[in-house]
Amino acid sequence: MSWCSGFEDICRADVPLRDYTWYRLGGPARWFVTPHDADELRTVLRRVRDAGLAWRVLGRGANVLVRDAGFDGVVVHLTGPAWEEIRYDGECVHAAGGVDFPKLVKQTVQRELGGLEGLAGIPGTLGGIIRMNAGGRYGNIGEHVATVRLLNAELVEETLPAAALGFAYRHSDVGARIVLGATLQLHTGDADALTARFQEVWKAKHAEQPAVSVRSAGCIFKNPPGQAAGRLLDEAGLKGTRRGQAEISTRHANFVLAHAGATAQDVLDLISLARERVFGATGIELELEIDVW
Ligand code: EPU
């Protein structure tokens, strides 16, 4: 009996992960499962654990590079009504882990709730955004989190306040736990001012970074303390460098673009080369910001 018998409606085999990532690169998932809600997720994960299979959660695939060989395990995709619930309660918003973050940002601005407008233009699910404490020049999501509801390794639900989640630059202590949902603490604002700010942040991002139509996973490396990875890569002369059909953006050196025909290996080769060059020039070891599966 297969580990997923009885769950055939939500479980598929050999699913190309390129269809689920911004990079549109990489091989298949051995199994791809879309539980309808947290109860089903818990049951599925118990089976996965008992079968000794590796597993990962995939959000919008905005920060993930899947290797060409794919992922030999179970990919859990949190999609559907229960994972996309948003509930407003005064200046708080309760949102499920699979909520599309750009949609949430726009909605809060329209409802005259301030806080997230500085995070305009960051793709991903709320869960993914919280897990990596995504953000930029105008702040990080961790600053707006009140509590996070998690499914832990024992498959038990726990709700933790932000202070217990170790939010730091592109880091949280969520780790292998799954973000089921979160409560964000926002503040009442003025619709025109919030909209203007949202547009300003969005425009700045698009003026400085490659177009969203070009395949990438956003910034490849974290900024080392006190440094900008983009500047280090630029100063190492890497802009425009290619390996196969992957290229270091000529607009912002911390973006590796995937042109038509690129493989995940092309991107990985370019990442290795960039690391070596920057290390050779500065002695700084760049750390990946993206997840490589
Ligand atoms: N720079 C260069 N050359 C380049 C790119 C940047 O000299 O090719 C210089 C810039 O002139 C600037 C400095 O490096 O002085 C920092 O660059 P930028 O202002 O573009 O910000 P960043 O640190 O590279 C961060 C986030 C971005 C986020 C922006 C804007 C990281 C790794 N990146 O970029 O996030 O969009 O701020 O808020 O923290 C992402 O996480 O995927 C991402 C793109």
Side-chain angles (χ1 to χ4, degrees):
M1 188 174 86
S2 158
W3 70 273
C4 61
S5 76
F7 286 106
E8 287 80 3
D9 59 326
I10 57 160
C11 187
R12 289 184 290 149
D14 300 320
V15 173
L17 290 172
R18 73 173 70 87
D19 294 347
Y20 294 90
T21 67
W22 275 54
Y23 250 142
R24 305 191 70 76
L25 293 174
R30 179 75 191 91
W31 303 99
F32 191 88
V33 54
T34 49
H36 290 101
D37 53 31
D39 282 343
E40 205 167 56
L41 170 66
R42 200 180 297 112
T43 310
V44 162
L45 283 179
R46 193 168 298 122
R47 296 264 198 106
V48 167
R49 198 178 55 182
D50 292 350
L53 296 166
W55 61 274
R56 300 244 197 291
V57 180
L58 181 66
R60 288 281 179 281
N63 204 48
V64 176
L65 172 63
V66 178
R67 291 176 197 275
D68 296 314
F71 179 66
D72 188 17
V74 181
V75 170
V76 180
H77 193 44
L78 306 182
T79 186
W83 299 108
E84 285 154 34
E85 247 171 41
I86 303 176
R87 198 162 49 79
Y88 290 88
D89 177 10
E91 292 189 321
C92 284
V93 55
H94 309 281
V99 162
D100 183 63
F101 187 66
K103 177 179 154 185
L104 182 65
V105 174
K106 269 190 216 140
Q107 223 181 71
T108 56
V109 166
Q110 281 160 0
R111 285 178 167 253
E112 311 199 331
L113 287 170
L116 304 185
E117 64 285 354
L119 304 177
I122 304 179
T125 57
L126 179 64
I129 294 276
I130 287 178
R131 186 173 174 274
M132 67 172 291
N133 193 17
R137 203 178 300 156
Y138 311 104
N140 304 307
I141 188 67
E143 296 154 28
H144 309 287
V145 169
T147 59
V148 179
R149 205 156 47 82
L150 297 162
L151 190 65
N152 70 20
E154 286 75 44
L155 305 182
V156 173
E157 258 186 61
E158 54 187 12
T159 299
L160 296 180
L165 281 162
F167 286 115
Y169 170 69
R170 290 301 185 279
H171 172 86
S172 81
D173 293 338
V174 168
R177 292 174 288 188
I178 299 177
V179 176
L180 299 174
T183 298
L184 307 180
Q185 176 67 58
L186 307 177
H187 56 83
T188 305
D190 169 72
D192 290 344
L194 291 175
T195 303
R197 180 81 179 131
F198 171 87
Q199 285 170 347
E200 184 192 334
V201 172
W202 200 89
K203 276 188 197 145
K205 193 174 164 85
H206 290 270
E208 293 162 15
Q209 299 182 359
V212 276
S213 54
V214 189
R215 290 150 54 194
S216 83
C219 285
I220 288 280
F221 299 107
K222 291 184 188 177
N223 286 336
Q227 302 275 355
R231 184 182 299 119
L232 296 172
L233 293 155
D234 191 352
E235 286 173 358
L238 285 156
K239 276 185 170 171
T241 305
R242 291 179 83 120
R243 281 292 174 274
Q245 295 306 317
E247 182 191 10
I248 297 189
S249 167
T250 51
R251 187 179 278 192
H252 192 302
N254 202 6
F255 284 68
V256 173
L257 312 178
H259 298 297
T263 62
Q265 194 56 50
D266 291 342
V267 175
L268 290 168
D269 289 348
L270 212 37
I271 287 173
S272 300
L273 174 81
R275 266 184 154 152
E276 279 165 26
R277 288 267 190 86
V278 168
F279 184 71
T282 64
I284 295 171
E285 284 192 52
L286 290 176
E287 211 185 298
L288 280 179
E289 200 228 54
I290 61 165
D291 281 346
V292 178
W293 288 14

